[in-house]
C-alpha cells in the first residue's frame, strides 16, 4: 500500500509524525501555504498539495489530510475519476479526534 499524509496547517505536525510511523503512510508533507521554520522543513517537507497530487495520484492507495474537509475536497476534486481507480481519502481534524472518510471505504 502506498499512502501519503498532508497537513494543511502547522498544528498537524504531531499527527503527521505519528502517521509516518504506521505501515499505511510512506510520505508526510505540510502544505506550502503554512509558515514553517527552515530547520523543520527537513523533517516534514513543505509542498504545494495540488502539485504533489498531480504527480502521485495514480500511484497512491491512500491519502490522509489533516485539516479542513472543505479544503481537502477542493484539493482532490479535479483528480477524481472512478471509484475503482481513485485512492481512498480520509480527513482527520487537527486534534486527531475526528476521522472522516471522503473517498473509498
Amino acid at each position: 500500500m502506498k499512502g501519503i499524509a498532508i497537513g494543511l496547517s502547522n498544528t498537524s505536525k504531531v499527527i503527521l509524525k505519528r502517521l509516518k510511523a504506521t505501515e499505511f503512510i510512506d510520505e508526510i508533507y505540510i502544505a506550502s501555504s503554512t509558515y514553517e521554520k527552515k530547520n523543520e522543513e527537513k523533517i516534514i517537507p513543505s509542498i504545494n498539495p495540488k502539485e504533489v497530487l498531480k504527480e502521485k495520484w495514480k500511484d497512491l492507495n491512500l491519502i490522509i489530510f489533516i485539516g479542513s474537509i472543505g479544503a481537502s475536497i477542493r484539493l482532490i476534486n479535479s483528480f477524481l475519476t472512478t471509484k475503482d481507480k481513485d485512492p481512498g481519502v480520509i480527513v482527520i481534524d487537527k486534534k486527531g479526534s475526528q476521522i472522516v472518510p471522503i473517498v473509498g471505504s
Side-chain angles (χ1 to χ4, degrees):
M1 174 177 274
K2 175 112 170 119
I4 64 171
I6 300 174
L8 301 178
S9 72
N10 278 333
T11 58
S12 62
K13 284 190 263 185
V14 172
I15 296 172
L16 285 170
K17 290 175 186 174
R18 289 176 62 192
L19 287 170
K20 178 70 171 147
T22 70
E23 63 187 81
F24 305 106
I25 299 301
D26 301 307
E27 301 169 12
I28 58 174
Y29 303 103
I30 292 275
S32 61
S33 61
T34 61
Y35 173 77
E36 190 169 335
K37 294 179 184 174
K38 290 188 184 236
N39 63 348
E40 291 178 318
E41 287 181 21
K42 294 176 186 171
I43 298 169
I44 303 175
S46 181
I47 51 97
N48 177 328
K50 276 275 195 196
E51 293 300 318
V52 168
L53 292 173
K54 181 190 276 186
E55 176 185 323
K56 298 178 182 268
W57 184 265
K58 292 181 181 181
D59 299 324
L60 294 172
N61 298 105
L62 175 64
I63 301 167
I64 299 177
F65 289 102
I66 295 87
S68 158
I69 291 174
S72 302
I73 290 171
R74 285 189 295 277
L75 285 169
I76 67 168
N77 71 5
S78 63
F79 300 104
L80 295 170
T81 57
T82 67
K83 181 174 146 179
D84 298 333
K85 294 180 183 177
D86 293 333
V89 179
I90 297 171
V91 180
I92 302 174
D93 73 338
K94 62 184 178 181
K95 295 177 186 174
S97 61
Q98 302 290 321
I99 300 171
V100 180
I102 301 298
V103 177
S105 54

